[in-house]
Amino acid sequence: MTPAELSEALRAVLTSAVADGTLPLDPSVIPATVTVERPRSREHGDWATNVAMQLAKRAGMAPRAFAAVLSTRLAEVPGVAAVEIAGPGFLNITLDTAAAGELARTVVEAGPVYGRSAALAGQRINLEFVSANPTGPIHIGGARWAAVGDSLARMLAACGADVTREYYFNDHGAQIDRFARSLLARAKGEVAPEDGYGGQYIQDIAESVRARRAEAGEPDPLTLPDDQAQEVFRAIGVDLMFAEIRAALQAFGVEFDVYFHEDSLHASGAVQRALTRLRELGHVFEADGATWLRTTDFGDDKDRVIIKSDGNAAYIAGDLAYYLDKRERGFDRVVIMLGADHHGYIGRMMAMCAAFGDTPHVNLEILIGQMVNLVRDGQPVRMSKRAGTVVTMDDLVEAVGVDAARYSLARSSADSMIDLDLDLLTRATNENPVFYVQYAHARTVNVARNAADLGVRRDDGFDPSLLDHVSESTLLAGIGELARVVAQAAELREPHRVARYLEELAGSYHKWYDQRRVTPLGDQEVTDVHRTRLWLNDATRTVLANGLGLLGVSAPERM
């Protein structure tokens, strides 16, 4: 019996008790899905639910009395061995061995789709992440968003949501001008402007701009007046930098569905359309020669200038136009991932959302990520060999590889600062979390390989009642949690939950491996015990592979 099947059984019991009047409850309050979770202690059964505590007050009953009604009826469901009422009204449920063991076959037969659900079906979500300025390589903070954002997108999709990964290409504004001036200065052999960009990559791109012009038979930009030369370096340099960023993301396993250019908002009239909409809604006013959005009406600490007195658009003008554009493209939810230095940005963005008539934190969500610190030999790693002032995503990948980089960045809550020990992430030991999980998967493959060599095949027999050891019930309970963990990670926007779940599951598998054999010893005959354990082994392999896939990490067959 899967957790989903047990949940449905609980819902059926609830529905029947309401229908015959035993529980005086309005049928409309019966949840579509009754939550079941693993109890903290295995002594408390295989699964637990607090549904009685949730609904008892609505029925005008004590939670334990409500639970007693459910307990009596649930105990009659095939596959349920025992139901106990605990504490203020928890139901602790123990499945009979065969019903619990049947999960192994369910998982293997489901294969790659096991763990998926329709929890978020019907939701159209635009997920914007990384969005690094095209003025330098992706730094380590951007790498964290690449790992977290892509993992979250995979989990949202696994729960049935229609997800669009979007990269906001900041190709409009002062930072691009500083980038162009930096390229021109380096091409001339001069130091970068005080407010410009440094690092070897500036020299590399400046040389590439000149080489591209030469290949096209166009004059060297250094022969042009400075204003024209700067425009050449801007146009070609931004294109080269962005191509490098895209290539780095692709090598990191991150693909975007949409690359949206900030400059298009201003060129297409989208800013003016957003301003017109807000003016029609009565939230725009004129003062001191500028055009303002009255965001204080929606909780912001001050009103915001949209069009400055000199006629130029303020930065928020692009935000207004971009948000409206996403909503007009049909997205129900707009999720934006920002760095720690953008925390003060949330208030004005939520006010903007409300000004358009939307619901803050529902139609618009903002996730803030914290810093990443790299350590090697016990010392902080502070600068890139190429970028000069920061550590880049390429530096991290070069040091530990894509799998370790992605896993280590995604396994901690994004709103907490993390220290990554580069020495640890390259070790083939159990202290290295990505190795620990990947090794568990490789071990399942090796067990199956050895079993095949010794004539142990799943198709020859399966008796789930034989999975009666405590290590097997623990492992079964673990693999049954995948769909719930993925749904929770997607709903809470916390993909690290899947990584931590995989580490726990890997630990359960390693313990089971030490205590139960899949292959016969010596001249021992192959029996249904061996075949049934192979089903459990392969079910674990499926769950580990599916979970790693949601994190964008490979599931190696040999290590």
Side-chain angles (χ1 to χ4, degrees), residues 260-280:
F260 193 99
H261 290 257
E262 179 186 5
D263 200 50
S264 70
L265 293 170
H266 300 269
S268 68
V271 169
Q272 188 58 47
R273 288 197 302 276
L275 180 58
T276 300
R277 172 75 66 85
L278 291 167
R279 195 184 298 278
E280 291 170 348

Side-chain angles (χ1 to χ4, degrees), residues 410-468:
R411 73 180 291 266
S412 297
S413 175
D415 62 4
S416 63
M417 187 178 294
I418 55 173
D419 295 322
L420 298 186
D421 186 333
L422 300 182
D423 298 319
L424 173 64
L425 293 175
T426 56
R427 291 181 201 149
T429 66
N430 289 343
E431 289 73 33
N432 178 353
V434 65
F435 174 84
Y436 188 64
V437 176
Q438 287 184 316
Y439 180 66
H441 180 269
R443 175 173 267 183
T444 65
V445 177
N446 188 56
V447 167
R449 189 184 300 118
N450 292 339
D453 291 343
L454 294 172
V456 181
R457 295 177 178 81
R458 290 198 315 258
D459 293 344
D460 294 338
F462 176 65
D463 182 354
S465 67
L466 297 173
L467 299 175
D468 56 1

Side-chain angles (χ1 to χ4, degrees), residues 3 27 42 57 66 123 162 306 356 367 389 400 433 467 515:
R42 300 293 296 126
K57 186 175 181 180
F66 194 104
Q123 290 191 21
D162 180 359
I306 304 175
F356 279 115
L367 309 180
T389 57
V400 303
L467 299 175
Q515 298 179 58

Side-chain angles (χ1 to χ4, degrees), residues 142-272:
R144 185 178 195 180
W145 275 140
V148 173
D150 186 60
S151 298
L152 178 56
R154 293 167 187 250
M155 293 172 197
L156 292 168
C159 293
D162 180 359
V163 184
T164 294
R165 296 169 172 85
E166 187 148 321
Y167 187 109
Y168 188 49
F169 183 38
N170 302 84
D171 56 350
H172 181 90
Q175 79 276 5
I176 299 298
D177 292 334
R178 294 198 299 270
F179 180 62
R181 286 190 279 110
S182 301
L183 293 174
L184 176 58
R186 291 298 289 271
K188 289 180 173 182
E190 301 170 355
V191 297
E194 187 175 341
D195 63 347
Y197 298 92
Q200 180 60 39
Y201 77 95
I202 291 291
Q203 182 72 48
D204 296 341
I205 292 175
E207 292 173 358
S208 295
V209 170
R210 298 178 69 188
R212 179 179 284 192
R213 292 274 292 186
E215 291 171 3
E218 298 174 324
D220 187 327
L222 294 185
T223 64
L224 303 173
D226 277 0
D227 59 341
Q228 295 180 32
Q230 182 175 316
E231 178 57 25
V232 170
F233 279 107
R234 186 203 67 78
I236 301 178
V238 167
D239 183 53
L240 289 170
M241 190 71 254
F242 189 54
E244 184 176 314
I245 289 172
R246 289 185 66 166
L249 287 167
Q250 289 169 347
F252 202 57
V254 179
E255 296 282 354
F256 286 89
D257 304 299
V258 175
Y259 288 91
F260 193 99
H261 290 257
E262 179 186 5
D263 200 50
S264 70
L265 293 170
H266 300 269
S268 68
V271 169
Q272 188 58 47

